[in-house]
C-alpha cells in the first residue's frame, strides 16, 4: 500500500510540474499607447491573440483613477473621468523619465490644471497626488497600469504570465526606457525586450507576408499619428544570411526616424473642444464661464473626440450634450471644413517627421516601396490628402490591421525570446538615434609631469548604428587606482531647439571602477606587469547602454631560456613586433567579435578623438570572443612576416621561418574582476524603493480583492433574499417543505431584508453577509434536495425495471432455447435477485410518497439495486458464453479427428491400389545397363491428390485453433 501511495504521489507531482512549466512558457505583449493600450497573449497550443478586457473590448484606456481607496482602470476610469476628472490620471506615458522642469511636463500641467502635479524633492521628477489615496511617482502609476494588463491576461487566458515585450516610441532616451523597465518590475513583470512601435508593426508585416520578403531590400515607410505623438519611420525589409544557422532570415532594419513628441490626435481633439465651447457660449449666457466647471469640460472633451471621429467619415455632424452647464442643453452643427481649417495650421508639422525620416535614411520618395499609415489620426481625410500628395500619389497598404499590428509584432518577439516556443527568427535592428560617448582621463604625455592627465571623449555607439550590439571593449592604461568614467550623449545636431529641451539632460551616468589598486597590490610583484583595465559596454534589447563588466589585466612573467637559440629567437620576435608591445592592451576602443555582422558607424568622428587616434586608440581591432577571465590571454597574431618586401634576401626569409617554428612561450594574462558602480544622472528608483512600491501594489490588490469579495457577498445575499421571497409564494417549492421550515425560512428572509435596508454600511464585514446567507441556504438546501430526489425517482425506477426485464428475458431464453448449455443451479441466484428486487419495488419504493418529509435514502437504494441486477446479468452472460465456447471447441476437435481418420483411410486405399499394379517379380524384367539413361516421371493425378490429402490431414491435426469472433452473448456481457 505504501508503494502504491508513493507511486501515486509521483504521478501527481509530475502532472503539477508539467502544468506549472506549461504556464511559465506563456508570454504577453503590451502596445503601450498614451491613450489606449493593446494586450497580446501567446501560450502553448494556442495561436497569438489579442486579449479582450472585461468589457470584451480589444483595447483598454491607459488610465488610472483613485476613488475611496480603490483603483479603477480602463473603461471604469474613463467613466470616472466624466464625473470626477480630478481623480483620473491620463497620458501617464508622456511623463515617463522626465524631470519636473521638462517642457512636456509643464505642458501637461497646463493641459490638466485640476490635477495635483508636484516635484519630487529628492529626485526632481514628477509626483501625482490624489486627494485621499496617497502620492505616487510616474513609475508606480505606470506599474499599476501594467499590473492591470497582466491581470487581464490571467483572467482571459486562465494562465499566469510574467514575460513581456513592451512597445515604446523609438525616440525614448535612456532615462525614459529605464523608467518603463522599472515600472514593469514594480508590476512583477520580466521584460524581454523594448521594441519601437514601428519595428513591432514591421515584424507583424513580415510574418504575415513572409513570402513577399526576398533578398532584394524593400523600403517601407510607417507613418504613425498617435494620441500625443507623430512618428515616421523608414525600415528596410529583406532576407539575409544568418551566420550561425546558415539560413536566410528576414531582417527588419530601421534606417531613419522623424518625430514630434507633442503633436498627435489629442491636439486636434482639444481644438475641437475649444470650437464646441465657442459654439455653446454663442447659444447660452451663463453666470460663469463653462471652462470653470470640471464636469462640463470633461463632457465637452468626450463629445469633441466623438465629433472628430464622425467627421472623418462624414462631412457634417451635430455636437450635442444634455444639461451641459447650468441646466442648459447644447446642440450645434459642426462641418468638416472646421476640422480642415484647424488641420491647416498643423499640416507643416505633420509632414516634417516624414521629411526627417527620409533624410536620415538617405533616400527620397521615389525609393519608397511600401507606405503604411498607422494610428487613428491618419484616417482624417485632410491628412490623407496631404500624405498622398507628399508621396506623389502612392497609395498606402491597407491589408495590415494597424490598430493591433504593433502589439502582434511585439508578441512574436515575446515568443521568440521565450523558452516555451520555437519560432522562425526575425532579426530586428533598431537605430541609435542619439550617439553615446565615454569620457575619461588619460595620460597627457607631458614630459615635465608624467602623472598629468587630460580629459578625452570617445564615441561608444555612433549615430545611426544598430542595436542590440555586441560588446564594445574599452582599454584604460593610465590608471593604477580606482577611477570613474562618464557616459553621455554625443552631438545630436539633428534635433531642433524645442526637441533638445524636451529630450532632457545629455548626461547619462558615471561609472566607478573599484578594485584596481587592490588587484595590482595582490597580483603585481617582481616580474608581473600591470597592462591596464578593460571595461565592456553594450546596448541591450531594451535600448539601454549597459556596463557588462570590467577587469584588470596583469601579465605574468615567462621563464627565459639561456640557450643561444632562445636569445636569437627572442631578438627576432622583438624585431617583428610580437610579444611585449601587445595591441590588445593599448588604450582605446575595440569591438568584440560576434556571430552577426556589425553595421559600420556612419557618425562623424569626434575632433579630439581624431587628433589622438594614432596615440591612444587602435581602431577596428577585434578581441577574441572565446576570452575567459580565468584563462591566459593570447596576444594578437604576429603578422609581420606577411609584410616582408620582395627584395628581402633568402637568408632573411629563412631566418623568419626559423623564428616562427621556434616561437618562444608567450606570457600568460591574469584577469581580476572589478566592481562596478553606476550613478545615473536621472535618479532611478533604488531596489528598496521598488520593493516598497511593490508592497503598495500588493496592499491595493489585497484591499481591492477584499472589497470585491464583500460586494459579491452583499449582492449574493440580496439576490438570495429576493429569490426566496418569491419562491415562498410558489407551491412548487413550498409543497416540499414542512410548515416549520416555511415559517422559519420566512422569518430569516424577512430579517435579512430589514438588515440589508437599515443596518448595512461600509463597516459591515463580509462574514456577516455570508453568515446570514448560510442560515437561509441550510433550509433551502434541504428542501431543494428533497425536491430533486422526488423528481428524479421515477426515472431511477424505470431504469431498474428495464434492467429486471432484460435479466428476466435472458433467463427465460437460456432455459428455453439453450437449456443444455447451463445447469439448473446456474439460474438460482439470478431468479432470487429478480424476485427480491420486484418485492423491493412493490413494497418500499412509493412514487406518491409525502413530498415534505425526508426519505431514507430511497434513491440510493434504487441505484444500488440496479447495479446489483446489472452485475448478476453480466455474470450469467459470462458463464453462458464460456460454456458455449467450450462446446464449440469440443465440436471442432471432434471434426478434426474425423477428418484425420478419413484421410488415413484414403491413404491406405491408395497404397493398396498401387501395390496391385506393380510387376510380380523384379527378376522377370530385363536387366538395365549402366549406360541407359534414367528417366524422371511426372507424378500421377492420384499421387498429387494423395499428397495434398496428407498435407491437409497434417495441417488439421497440428494447427492451433483460431480465436473466435465474439458472440452476441459476449457483446451483451461487455455492455453489462
Amino acid at each position: 500500500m505504501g508503494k502504491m501511495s508513493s507511486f501515486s504521489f509521483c504521478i501527481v507531482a509530475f502532472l503539477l510540474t508539467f502544468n506549472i512549466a506549461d504556464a511559465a512558457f506563456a508570454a504577453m505583449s503590451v502596445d503601450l499607447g498614451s491613450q489606449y493600450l493593446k494586450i497580446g497573449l501567446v501560450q502553448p497550443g494556442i495561436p497569438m491573440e489579442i486579449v479582450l478586457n472585461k468589457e470584451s473590448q480589444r483595447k483598454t484606456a491607459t488610465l488610472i483613477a483613485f476613488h475611496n481607496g480603490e483603483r479603477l482602470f480602463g473603461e471604469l476610469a474613463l467613466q470616472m473621468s466624466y464625473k470626477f476628472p480630478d481623480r483620473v490620471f491620463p497620458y501617464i506615458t508622456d511623463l515617463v523619465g522626465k524631470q519636473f522642469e521638462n517642457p512636456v511636463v509643464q505642458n501637461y500641467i497646463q493641459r490638466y490644471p485640476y490635477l495635483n502635479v508636484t516635484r519630487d524633492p529628492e529626485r526632481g521628477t514628477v509626483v501625482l497626488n490624489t486627494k485621499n489615496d496617497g502620492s505616487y511617482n510616474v513609475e508606480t502609476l505606470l506599474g499599476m497600469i501594467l499590473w492591470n494588463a497582466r491581470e487581464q491576461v490571467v483572467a482571459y487566458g486562465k494562465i499566469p504570465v510574467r514575460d513581456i515585450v513592451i512597445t515604446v516610441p523609438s525616440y525614448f532616451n535612456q532615462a525614459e526606457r529605464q523608467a518603463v523597465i522599472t515600472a514593469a518590475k514594480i508590476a512583477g513583470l520580466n521584460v524581454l525586450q523594448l521594441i519601437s512601435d514601428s519595428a513591432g508593426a514591421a515584424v507583424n508585416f513580415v510574418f504575415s507576408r513572409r513570402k513577399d520578403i526576398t533578398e532584394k531590400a524593400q523600403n517601407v515607410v510607417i507613418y504613425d499619428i498617435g494620441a500625443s505623438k507623430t512618428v515616421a519611420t523608414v525600415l528596410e525589409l529583406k532576407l539575409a544570411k544568418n551566420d550561425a544557422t546558415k539560413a536566410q532570415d528576414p531582417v527588419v532594419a530601421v534606417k531613419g526616424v522623424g518625430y514630434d513628441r507633442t503633436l498627435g490626435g489629442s491636439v486636434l481633439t482639444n481644438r475641437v473642444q475649444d470650437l464646441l465651447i465657442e459654439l455653446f457660449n454663442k447659444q447660452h449666457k451663463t453666470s460663469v464661464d463653462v471652462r470653470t466647471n470640471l464636469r462640463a469640460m470633461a463632457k465637452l472633451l468626450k463629445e469633441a473626440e466623438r465629433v472628430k471621429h464622425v467627421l472623418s467619415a462624414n462631412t457634417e455632424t451635430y455636437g450635442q450634450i444634455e444639461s451641459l452647464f447650468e441646466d442648459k442643453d447644447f446642440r450645434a452643427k459642426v462641418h468638416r471644413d472646421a476640422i480642415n481649417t484647424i488641420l491647416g495650421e498643423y499640416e507643416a508639422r505633420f509632414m516634417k517627421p516624414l521629411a526627417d525620416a527620409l533624410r536620415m535614411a538617405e533616400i527620397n520618395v521615389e525609393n519608397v516601396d511600401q507606405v503604411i499609415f498607422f494610428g487613428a489620426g491618419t484616417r482624417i481625410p485632410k491628412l490623407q490628402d496631404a500624405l498622398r500628395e507628399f508621396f506623389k500619389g502612392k497609395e498606402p497598404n491597407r491589408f495590415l490591421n494597424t490598430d493591433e499590428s504593433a502589439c502582434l509584432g511585439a508578441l512574436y518577439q515575446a515568443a521568440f525570446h521565450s523558452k516555451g516556443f520555437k519560432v522562425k527568427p526575425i532579426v530586428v535592428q533598431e537605430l541609435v538615434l542619439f550617439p553615446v560617448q565615454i569620457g575619461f582621463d588619460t595620460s597627457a604625455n607631458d614630459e615635465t609631469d608624467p602623472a598629468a592627465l587630460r580629459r578625452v571623449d570617445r564615441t561608444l555607439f555612433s549615430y545611426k548604428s544598430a542595436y542590440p550590439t555586441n560588446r564594445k571593449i574599452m582599454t584604460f592604461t593610465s590608471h593604477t587606482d580606482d577611477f570613474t568614467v562618464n557616459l553621455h550623449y554625443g552631438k545630436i545636431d539633428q534635433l531642433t531647439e524645442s526637441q533638445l529641451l524636451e529630450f532632457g539632460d545629455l548626461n547619462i551616468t558615471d561609472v566607478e571602477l573599484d578594485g584596481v589598486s587592490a588587484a595590482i597590490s595582490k597580483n603585481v610583484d617582481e616580474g608581473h606587469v600591470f597592462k591596464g583595465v578593460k571595461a565592456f559596454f553594450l546596448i541591450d534589447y531594451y535600448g539601454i547602454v549597459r556596463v557588462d563588466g570590467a577587469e584588470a589585466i596583469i601579465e605574468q612573467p615567462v621563464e627565459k631560456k639561456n640557450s643561444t637559440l632562445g636569445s636569437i629567437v627572442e631578438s627576432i620576435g622583438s624585431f617583428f613586433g610580437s610579444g611585449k608591445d601587445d595591441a590588445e592592451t593599448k588604450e582605446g576602443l575595440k569591438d568584440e567579435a560576434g556571430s552577426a555582422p556589425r553595421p559600420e558607424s556612419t557618425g562623424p568622428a569626434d575632433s579630439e578623438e581624431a587628433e589622438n587616434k594614432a596615440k591612444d586608440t587602435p581602431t577596428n581591432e577585434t578581441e577574441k570572443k572565446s576570452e575567459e577571465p580565468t584563462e591566459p590571454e593570447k596576444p594578437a597574431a604576429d603578422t609581420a612576416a606577411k609584410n616582408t618586401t620582395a627584395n628581402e634576401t633568402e637568408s632573411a626569409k629563412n631566418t623568419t621561418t626559423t623564428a616562427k617554428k621556434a616561437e618562444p612561450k608567450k606570457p600568460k594574462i591574469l584577469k581580476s574582476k572589478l566592481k562596478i558602480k553606476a550613478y545615473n544622472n536621472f535618479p532611478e528608483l533604488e531596489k528598496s524603493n521598488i520593493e516598497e512600491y511593490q508592497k503598495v501594489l500588493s496592499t491595493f490588490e489585497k484591499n481591492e480583492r477584499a472589497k470585491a469579495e464583500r460586494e459579491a457577498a452583499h449582492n449574493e445575499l440580496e439576490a438570495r433574499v429576493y429569490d426566496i421571497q418569491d419562491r415562498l409564494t410558489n407551491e412548487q417549492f413550498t409543497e416540499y417543505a414542512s410548515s416549520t421550515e416555511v415559517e422559519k425560512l420566512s422569518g430569516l428572509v424577512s430579517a435579512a431584508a430589514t438588515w440589508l435596508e437599515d443596518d448595512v454600511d461600509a463597516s459591515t464585514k463580509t462574514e456577516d453577509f455570508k453568515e446570514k446567507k448560510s442560515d437561509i441556504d441550510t433550509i433551502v438546501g434541504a428542501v431543494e434536495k428533497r425536491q430533486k430526489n422526488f423528481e428524479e425517482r421515477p426515472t431511477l425506477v424505470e431504469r431498474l425495471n428495464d434492467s429486471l426485464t432484460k435479466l428476466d428475458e435472458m433467463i427465460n431464453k437460456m432455459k428455453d432455447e439453450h437449456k443444455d448449455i447451463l445447469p439448473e443451479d446456474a439460474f438460482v441466484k439470478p431468479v432470487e435477485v429478480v424476485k427480491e428486487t420486484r418485492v423491493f419495488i412493490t413494497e418500499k419504493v412509493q412514487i406518491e410518497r409525502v413530498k415534505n418529509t425526508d426519505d431514507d435514502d430511497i434513491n440510493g437504494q434504487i441505484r444500488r439495486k440496479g447495479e446489483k441486477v446489472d452485475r448478476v446479468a453480466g455474470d450469467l452472460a459470462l458463464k453462458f458464453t464460456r460454456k458455449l465456447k467450450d462446446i464449440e471447441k469440443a465440436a471442432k476437435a471432434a471434426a478434426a479427428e474425423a477428418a484425420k481418420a478419413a484421410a488415413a483411410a484414403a491413404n491406405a486405399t491408395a497404397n493398396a491400389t498401387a501395390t496391385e499394379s506393380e510387376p510380380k517379380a523384379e527378376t522377370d524384367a530385363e536387366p538395365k545397363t549402366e549406360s541407359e539413361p534414367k528417366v524422371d516421371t511426372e507424378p500421377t493425378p492420384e499421387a498429387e491428390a494423395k499428397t495434398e490429402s496428407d498435407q491437409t490431414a497434417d495441417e488439421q491435426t497440428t494447427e492451433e485453433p483460431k480465436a473466435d469472433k465474439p458472440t452476441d452473448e459476449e457483446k451483451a456481457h461487455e455492455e453489462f
Side-chain angles (χ1 to χ4, degrees):
M1 186 66 183
K3 291 182 179 179
M4 191 64 183
S5 300
S6 176
F7 176 78
S8 302
F9 174 79
C10 291
I11 292 295
V12 173
F14 170 78
L15 293 175
L16 289 175
T17 304
F18 178 79
N19 291 334
I20 293 171
D22 189 54
F25 289 149
M28 63 180 288
S29 66
V30 169
D31 179 16
L32 189 59
S34 55
Q35 187 177 20
Y36 288 97
L37 58 84
K38 272 76 73 178
I39 308 168
L41 170 65
V42 58
Q43 53 183 317
I46 299 177
M48 298 187 300
E49 55 186 339
I50 296 296
V51 173
L52 303 182
N53 59 20
K54 295 178 181 178
E55 294 77 27
S56 297
Q57 298 170 341
R58 299 176 72 86
K59 63 180 182 179
T60 303
T62 313
L63 295 173
I64 182 169
F66 294 86
H67 181 66
N68 295 335
E70 182 182 4
R71 300 170 303 174
L72 302 177
F73 300 96
E75 187 65 25
L76 293 177
L78 188 62
Q79 297 301 323
M80 177 69 69
S81 68
Y82 304 141
K83 299 179 180 179
F84 306 102
D86 55 331
R87 301 180 185 180
V88 183
F89 297 103
Y91 293 92
I92 292 297
T93 55
D94 291 352
L95 306 176
V96 165
K98 294 179 179 63
Q99 299 281 14
F100 184 79
E101 294 76 14
N102 192 294
V104 176
V105 177
Q106 297 305 311
N107 289 339
Y108 185 92
I109 295 173
Q110 184 178 359
R111 183 176 169 187
Y112 304 106
Y114 47 83
L115 295 179
N116 187 359
V117 182
T118 58
R119 184 180 188 275
D120 189 321
E122 296 181 1
R123 300 173 63 210
T125 54
V126 179
V127 174
L128 296 107
N129 306 282
T130 66
K131 286 188 175 181
N132 303 310
D133 298 307
S135 300
Y136 305 97
N137 54 50
V138 178
E139 292 92 336
T140 302
L141 291 181
L142 182 58
M144 292 180 181
I145 292 173
L146 292 175
W147 170 87
N148 178 65
R150 185 178 70 167
E151 290 296 300
Q152 292 187 41
V153 170
V154 172
Y156 179 82
K158 311 299 182 186
I159 187 170
V161 181
R162 281 195 70 247
D163 293 340
I164 186 173
V165 171
I166 304 174
T167 69
V168 296
S170 54
Y171 55 75
F172 261 22
N173 59 29
Q174 299 289 299
E176 291 167 314
R177 292 173 183 273
Q178 186 58 55
V180 174
I181 298 296
T182 301
K185 287 182 180 179
I186 294 174
L189 292 167
N190 174 44
V191 180
L192 302 174
Q193 181 179 0
L194 295 182
I195 188 172
S196 64
D197 310 323
S198 300
V203 170
N204 179 238
F205 178 94
V206 169
F207 78 70
S208 61
R209 302 180 69 89
R210 199 179 185 104
K211 294 182 180 179
D212 296 339
I213 308 301
T214 63
E215 294 182 4
K216 182 181 178 181
Q218 300 181 40
N219 292 321
V220 178
V221 173
I222 296 180
Y223 183 62
D224 176 16
I225 300 180
S228 62
K229 71 179 189 305
T230 298
V231 181
T233 309
V234 178
L235 303 106
E236 183 182 80
L237 311 181
K238 65 178 181 180
L239 288 178
K241 185 177 180 181
N242 187 321
D243 290 339
T245 62
K246 308 302 180 183
Q248 295 275 59
D249 291 332
V251 177
V252 175
V254 181
K255 294 298 182 181
V257 176
Y259 67 90
D260 191 326
R261 283 176 178 262
T262 59
L263 180 66
S266 61
V267 173
L268 302 179
T269 304
N270 293 334
R271 290 296 301 273
V272 175
Q273 182 189 32
D274 294 338
L275 176 62
L276 298 181
I277 292 172
E278 182 181 345
L279 294 174
F280 176 78
N281 288 335
K282 287 181 180 179
Q283 292 180 359
H284 303 285
K285 297 296 181 182
T286 56
S287 59
V288 294
D289 191 352
V290 68
R291 294 181 179 87
T292 61
N293 188 279
L294 294 182
R295 287 194 180 186
M297 291 296 290
K299 292 178 181 179
L300 283 166
L301 185 64
K302 178 183 178 182
E303 184 64 11
E305 186 75 20
R306 188 192 68 82
V307 167
K308 184 184 73 172
H309 285 297
V310 172
L311 290 178
S312 296
N314 301 275
T315 57
E316 62 181 33
T317 187
Y318 281 92
Q320 49 191 359
I321 304 172
E322 292 184 6
S323 187
L324 172 60
F325 184 56
E326 294 184 351
D327 294 330
K328 291 180 172 59
D329 297 335
F330 168 64
R331 189 172 190 271
K333 182 181 288 188
V334 183
H335 294 270
R336 182 186 288 175
D337 293 341
I339 302 292
N340 293 341
T341 302
I342 295 172
L343 281 173
E345 302 175 21
Y346 297 97
E347 184 174 338
R349 284 184 63 185
F350 277 116
M351 295 298 108
K352 187 177 184 302
L354 279 169
D356 292 344
L358 293 174
R359 187 184 307 111
M360 184 181 294
E362 300 179 1
I363 65 172
N364 52 36
V365 174
E366 288 75 14
N367 302 124
V368 176
D369 300 304
Q370 304 272 357
V371 179
I372 299 174
F373 293 162
F374 195 75
T378 58
R379 300 187 182 101
I380 300 175
K382 174 73 173 177
L383 274 177
Q384 289 184 343
D385 294 341
L387 292 169
R388 195 174 291 108
E389 181 181 354
F390 181 89
F391 287 104
K392 300 181 179 180
K394 189 184 296 292
E395 289 294 328
N397 272 332
R398 303 185 184 279
F399 63 83
L400 201 63
N401 182 358
T402 56
D403 287 338
E404 299 173 356
S405 59
C407 184
L408 291 174
L411 189 59
Y412 190 93
Q413 289 300 102
F416 173 73
H417 290 297
S418 180
K419 298 178 181 179
F421 306 93
K422 186 177 181 180
V423 298
K424 295 181 179 179
I426 297 177
V427 181
V428 179
Q429 297 176 354
E430 300 267 20
L431 203 62
V432 176
L433 300 184
F434 317 113
V436 177
Q437 292 185 339
I438 183 171
F440 60 95
D441 292 330
T442 187
S443 174
N445 294 326
D446 189 347
E447 296 180 358
T448 60
D449 186 6
L453 300 174
R454 61 187 176 89
R455 192 69 173 176
V456 176
D457 286 337
R458 297 282 184 269
T459 298
L460 274 178
F461 305 102
S462 59
Y463 173 59
K464 292 170 62 175
S465 60
Y467 74 85
T469 68
N470 296 323
R471 294 199 305 180
K472 293 272 190 175
I473 306 171
M474 191 72 196
T475 304
F476 307 94
T477 60
S478 302
H479 298 273
T480 57
D481 202 350
D482 299 347
F483 64 101
T484 301
V485 298
N486 172 259
L487 297 180
H488 57 274
Y489 292 105
K491 295 180 180 179
I492 44 180
D493 298 334
Q494 75 273 17
L495 300 187
T496 64
E497 184 177 351
S498 61
Q499 286 178 327
L500 278 172
L501 293 173
E502 295 162 359
F503 184 84
D505 200 333
L506 297 181
N507 192 26
I508 299 176
T509 183
D510 290 329
V511 180
E512 187 177 291
L513 303 176
D514 290 345
V516 179
S517 58
I520 294 174
S521 61
K522 180 180 179 181
N523 297 298
V524 176
D525 52 18
E526 184 176 355
H528 287 72
V529 180
F530 173 65
K531 305 295 288 184
V533 172
K534 286 185 179 180
F536 306 93
F537 302 88
L538 57 83
I539 298 182
D540 57 21
Y541 278 99
Y542 307 150
I544 295 176
V545 178
R546 185 160 56 88
V547 187
D548 196 38
E551 55 195 23
I553 308 299
I554 298 168
E555 186 178 283
Q556 186 177 4
V558 178
E559 294 182 3
K560 294 185 178 180
K561 297 180 180 179
N562 296 324
S563 65
T564 304
L565 179 60
S567 301
I568 294 173
V569 170
E570 184 178 354
S571 300
I572 294 174
S574 177
F575 175 78
F576 285 104
S578 66
K580 294 182 180 180
D581 190 18
D582 186 2
E584 291 293 330
T585 54
K586 281 188 176 181
E587 187 165 76
L589 179 66
K590 306 159 194 166
D591 287 346
E592 184 177 56
S595 58
R598 292 291 313 284
E600 294 182 2
S601 171
T602 56
D606 185 273
S607 58
E608 188 175 1
E609 176 186 2
E611 178 184 352
N612 300 284
K613 183 176 180 181
K615 296 181 180 179
D616 296 318
T617 311
T619 59
N620 297 327
E621 292 186 10
T622 303
E623 176 172 317
K624 292 186 178 180
K625 191 173 183 180
S626 60
E627 172 188 348
E628 294 293 337
T630 58
E631 295 180 359
E633 183 182 37
K634 296 181 180 180
D638 184 4
T639 59
K642 295 181 181 180
N643 300 324
T644 307
T645 58
N647 58 355
E648 285 181 320
T649 63
E650 190 67 26
S651 175
K653 292 181 180 180
N654 292 337
T655 305
T656 304
T657 304
T658 304
K660 287 185 177 181
K661 291 181 179 179
E663 186 175 353
K665 188 176 181 181
K666 296 179 181 179
K668 294 183 179 180
I669 299 297
L670 301 178
K671 300 176 182 180
S672 179
K673 289 188 177 181
L674 303 178
K675 294 180 180 180
I676 300 172
K677 295 181 181 178
Y679 301 93
N680 293 337
N681 185 64
F682 184 85
E684 297 179 16
L685 292 175
E686 298 291 340
K687 183 179 179 181
S688 58
N689 299 130
I690 294 175
E691 292 174 351
E692 177 186 348
Y693 293 126
Q694 286 176 336
K695 291 179 181 178
V696 171
L697 263 67
S698 178
T699 301
F700 265 113
E701 181 180 1
K702 182 179 179 181
N703 294 339
E704 288 163 0
R705 287 185 176 175
K707 184 176 181 180
E709 184 181 358
R710 179 190 178 280
E711 290 178 352
H714 185 170
N715 294 335
E716 288 173 3
L717 175 60
E718 199 170 49
R720 194 62 159 167
V721 167
Y722 293 146
D723 176 54
I724 300 305
Q725 285 177 338
D726 179 66
R727 292 169 73 176
L728 285 173
T729 61
N730 189 342
E731 289 186 1
Q732 292 182 355
F733 176 78
T734 56
E735 66 180 343
Y736 294 96
S738 65
S739 57
T740 304
E741 288 174 328
V742 171
E743 182 180 356
K744 186 176 181 180
L745 190 58
S746 299
L748 288 174
V749 169
S750 178
T754 304
W755 180 75
L756 285 170
E757 184 176 352
D758 299 338
D759 300 335
V760 170
D761 55 21
S763 63
T764 305
K765 297 180 180 180
T766 305
E767 290 72 16
D768 297 337
F769 295 104
K770 291 183 176 181
E771 183 179 351
K772 292 187 178 298
K773 182 174 179 295
S774 177
D775 294 339
I776 296 174
D777 288 346
T778 300
I779 300 176
V780 173
V783 176
E784 289 177 341
K785 180 180 178 182
R786 198 177 299 139
Q787 180 180 5
K788 179 183 177 182
N789 287 340
F790 187 86
E791 291 175 350
E792 79 173 352
R793 192 171 303 133
T795 302
L796 295 175
V797 173
E798 183 180 356
R799 291 177 182 173
L800 180 58
N801 280 321
D802 289 344
S803 296
L804 281 174
T805 301
K806 290 179 181 178
L807 177 58
D808 208 8
E809 291 175 353
M810 183 188 298
I811 294 171
N812 294 332
K813 186 174 183 180
M814 289 180 181
K815 285 184 175 181
D816 296 342
E817 299 179 12
H818 307 284
K819 58 184 178 180
D820 297 332
I821 294 179
L822 289 178
E824 189 66 26
D825 59 354
F827 301 100
V828 174
K829 184 176 179 181
V831 171
E832 290 179 356
V833 169
V834 171
K835 289 181 179 179
E836 69 180 25
T837 304
R838 293 197 185 282
V839 171
F840 170 79
I841 294 175
T842 304
E843 296 181 355
K844 293 189 176 182
V845 179
Q846 302 175 17
I847 304 301
E848 299 298 329
R849 57 188 295 113
V850 180
K851 296 180 178 180
N852 60 3
T853 59
D854 291 324
D855 303 320
D856 297 326
D857 191 27
I858 296 299
N859 288 13
Q861 293 183 42
I862 296 174
R863 289 190 181 92
R864 290 190 289 275
K865 288 290 184 181
E867 292 170 358
K868 184 176 181 180
V869 170
D870 292 341
R871 187 166 56 252
V872 169
D875 292 341
L876 182 61
L878 181 60
K879 289 179 181 178
F880 179 84
T881 303
R882 287 177 176 174
K883 190 66 176 177
L884 189 63
K885 288 180 68 175
D886 291 342
I887 294 173
E888 290 177 352
K889 187 175 180 180
K892 287 182 180 180
E897 288 294 333
K900 185 176 180 181
N907 288 339
T909 305
N911 290 335
T913 304
T915 302
E916 291 176 358
S917 62
E918 290 180 354
K920 295 183 179 179
E922 188 174 344
T923 56
D924 298 338
E926 296 182 1
K928 295 180 180 180
T929 63
E930 293 181 2
S931 61
E932 185 178 354
K934 295 181 180 180
V935 179
D936 295 328
T937 59
E938 293 291 330
T940 62
E942 291 79 6
E944 288 183 345
K946 170 184 176 300
T947 303
E948 291 176 359
S949 176
D950 292 343
Q951 291 177 350
T952 303
D954 292 340
E955 288 173 358
Q956 289 178 348
T957 57
T958 59
E959 183 180 19
E960 290 290 333
K962 296 182 180 179
D964 299 318
K965 294 183 180 179
T967 62
D968 292 339
E969 287 82 1
E970 286 179 311
K971 292 180 181 178
H973 167 61
E974 290 175 358
E975 291 178 0
F976 281 118

